Structures are given as structure tokens and as C-alpha cells.
Amino acid sequence: MKYSGWPEPGELVVGDVDEIADFGVFVDLDEYEDKRGLCHISEVASGWIKNVRDHVREGQTVVAKVLEVNESSNQIDLSIKDVNEHQRKDKIQAWKNAQKADNWMLIALGEDVDDERYTEVANALLVEYESLYDAFEAAAISGDEALEGVDIDDEALDAIVEAARDNVSVPYVDVTGYVDLESMGPDGVDDVKAALEAAEGNGEVPDGVDLEVGYVGSPEYRIKVRAPDYKTAEDQLEAAAARAREAIESVGGIGGFHRDRREDDE
């Protein structure tokens, strides 16, 4: 989705060189609807320029700084030379991330989603996150938990999490679940402790996976797994819960597993 408004002076924009003239370069702005800017020859590169084509070519993607905007004359003045290499790389990466996030939104909401629905969900995500890309990355890492504060309906939430986990490459993902462990025997405390130790893996947790067991409030205990991908994280969470249940049930206790914390414990 492209912005319908105007860029601000000082803003960095991404565009494609559409036309090269003796006096400068016309740039179609990729992030804005029907907006075209002009980079005067003096703003293309530092120093004296004999031939503009020595510095840019038609069809080239460039990053430019917005110098001035005149809406009444539909004019946007740009500078390519005022953008250093570090700024250029950062802006190009942010632009690519925005394109990816837009594609993920269409995967989640459907290719035929109307602008109103898209904007409603996007704006809700942007209240909590700096960019749509950040929101999807967080959803890929932490699932529903990442979107707890986002004011969107359950259908959109589930769709975004599913799209994120299917499409976003992240360095790790976090998943959380809870086990209820109870033992009425004379050694009940020790029985629960042994079950928690079993959940931690006793050396069975593979390399690259971090598994942490914590106390929430008896009889509920939290299991948190960090892994390189969602499937591995889910598999290890379920395996940890199964180990805990097996250990507590082997001594006559009761064990249960659930994904969400009990409401009355919050």
C-alpha cells in the first residue's frame, strides 16, 4: 500500500529514475501514490557534473532527501547527493521490509481485502509497533502474546500470527505453555519438584533450544521455550509438558497442560 499524502521536507524517500534531462532527474516515488519529484543537476552528485547520465540511469532505484514540497504546483524537490551511504542502505532496507510487510498483510487479510479493512488493521498494529514489519516479526517470534495490546479482532489476530509464522524469517521464536502439577502424597513437594526437573529435560533438550520452567502459582507452572523455528519450539514445549505429566502421574499425582494462563491467577 502506498501513502496517499505528501512527503515531508527532510524525509528520505525511495524512487525510480523515470526521466533524465540536461537540468536534472525526474524520480517516481515508490512509497507515495502518483507522486514524482525532481532532483536538479546540482543535487545529483557533489562537484561539477558534465553529464547526468554518468551518475544515474533510467530505471535505477535511488534514495533521495526531500528538500521542498509545493502542493499547489505539484512539485517535490529532491537531493540525491545529500544522502550518505549509511542512510541509503538503511532506507533501502526499511523500504524492502515495508514491501514484505505489505505482502504479509495481503496473505493474512486476503488479496481482495478492501482499503478500509487493511487500514484499520494496519493502524492498530502501528499503535503498538514502529512498523508493520516489526509487528509481523514480533508475531513470528512470540505468537498471540505479541499482539495482546493490539486493538484488532480475533480473526485478524489469528490470521496475522499464522501469516507471520509461515512467512517471516526470524533468528528465534518464543512459545509459552503452562502445566498444572499436583501430588497429595506425603512427598508432594518433592514430587512436583521432580516433575519440574523432568520438564527441564534432563539433557534431552537439543542444542539451539532454550527451555525455562518457572513458578506461577501452585499448582500452575510456566514452560517457556526459545527455538530457531516455530515447529521446533512447539514440539519442545509439548515434550516438556509431557515429561512433567508423566513424572507426576507416575507417583499418583495429577498433571495437565494448557497454553493460556488461568484467568483467575492473573
Side-chain angles (χ1 to χ4, degrees), residues 194-241:
L196 295 174
E197 290 175 351
E200 290 175 342
N202 295 326
E204 297 179 35
V205 179
D207 292 340
V209 174
D210 292 328
L211 192 152
E212 178 184 314
V213 179
Y215 177 75
V216 175
S218 184
E220 189 177 30
Y221 301 85
R222 179 188 297 107
I223 302 175
K224 184 174 182 179
V225 179
R226 172 169 289 185
D229 58 81
Y230 179 68
K231 185 179 186 306
T232 299
E234 283 288 333
D235 288 346
Q236 291 302 312
L237 175 61
E238 292 175 6

Side-chain angles (χ1 to χ4, degrees), residues 142-158:
S142 301
D144 293 359
E145 294 178 13
L147 305 182
E148 284 181 354
V150 178
D151 185 20
I152 55 176
D153 55 79
D154 290 343
E155 181 181 355
L157 187 151
D158 292 342

Side-chain angles (χ1 to χ4, degrees), residues 51-219:
N51 188 338
V52 181
R53 294 181 183 276
D54 291 336
H55 300 275
V56 292
R57 66 183 185 278
E58 290 179 352
Q60 179 181 349
T61 299
V62 297
V63 177
K65 182 179 180 180
V66 177
L67 299 179
E68 189 174 346
V69 176
N70 188 326
E71 296 183 26
S72 61
S73 61
N74 202 34
Q75 183 171 330
I76 303 171
D77 293 331
L78 305 172
S79 174
I80 295 174
K81 74 175 186 180
D82 282 356
V83 180
N84 62 42
E85 185 62 17
H86 177 73
Q87 291 172 317
R88 189 191 71 80
K89 287 182 178 180
D90 283 353
K91 179 60 182 180
I92 287 291
Q93 188 59 57
W95 172 64
K96 289 180 177 179
N97 288 347
Q99 290 182 307
K100 290 180 181 178
D102 181 47
N103 184 52
W104 296 335
M105 284 285 284
L106 296 179
I107 291 173
L109 303 179
E111 292 283 346
D112 58 348
V113 62
D114 60 54
D115 290 347
E116 184 178 351
R117 172 64 167 167
Y118 184 106
T119 302
E120 174 192 8
V121 175
N123 286 344
L125 292 170
L126 292 173
V127 169
E128 298 295 327
Y129 290 95
E130 202 168 303
S131 69
L132 294 180
Y133 184 91
D134 290 341
F136 273 89
E137 187 174 58
I141 292 171
S142 301
D144 293 359
E145 294 178 13
L147 305 182
E148 284 181 354
V150 178
D151 185 20
I152 55 176
D153 55 79
D154 290 343
E155 181 181 355
L157 187 151
D158 292 342
I160 288 170
V161 170
E162 182 178 356
R165 284 176 164 167
D166 287 345
N167 296 279
V168 182
S169 297
V170 294
Y172 63 86
V173 297
D174 287 333
V175 296
T176 302
Y178 299 85
V179 286
D180 295 333
L181 303 172
E182 297 180 84
S183 175
M184 303 304 176
D187 299 317
V189 173
D190 291 335
D191 293 340
V192 170
K193 182 178 178 181
L196 295 174
E197 290 175 351
E200 290 175 342
N202 295 326
E204 297 179 35
V205 179
D207 292 340
V209 174
D210 292 328
L211 192 152
E212 178 184 314
V213 179
Y215 177 75
V216 175
S218 184

